[in-house]
Amino acid sequence: AVRFQIDDETPRLIEPGQMVTFKRYVVHAITEIVAAPAVFLTLDTPRRAPDDVVFIDKAAARARAFVANLQDL
């Protein structure tokens, strides 16, 4: 389970089996991992370009290993 925030909304608890959707260019984040491991299936349509991932907090970019095909920021 994770706490997931979309835009300026209050983070919500997302538990196994739940689905989250949001439009492209909407700022979103996992604010807390409540129960580990947290496993995600992400579907981006149309296909996400490698330069389409932007970290607001550049220090958090070190944790970007979960996103394949990203170049160094």
Side-chain angles (χ1 to χ4, degrees):
V2 298
R3 293 210 185 278
F4 191 84
Q5 183 173 359
I6 298 174
D7 239 348
D8 293 329
E9 296 175 5
T10 301
R12 63 184 93 175
L13 181 64
I14 305 298
E15 297 182 285
Q18 288 187 293
M19 183 171 84
V20 176
T21 62
F22 48 88
K23 293 187 177 189
R24 189 175 188 179
Y25 304 118
V26 172
V27 174
H28 56 281
I30 296 168
T31 60
E32 178 186 4
I33 297 175
V34 177
V39 179
F40 299 89
L41 170 63
T42 303
L43 303 173
D44 295 318
T45 60
R47 185 172 184 238
R48 178 182 291 238
D51 62 353
D52 189 28
V53 176
V54 178
F55 287 88
I56 303 300
D57 177 0
K58 296 296 183 184
R62 292 181 304 226
R64 74 184 198 284
F66 67 92
V67 182
N69 301 320
L70 287 180
Q71 302 297 322
D72 285 338
L73 298 174

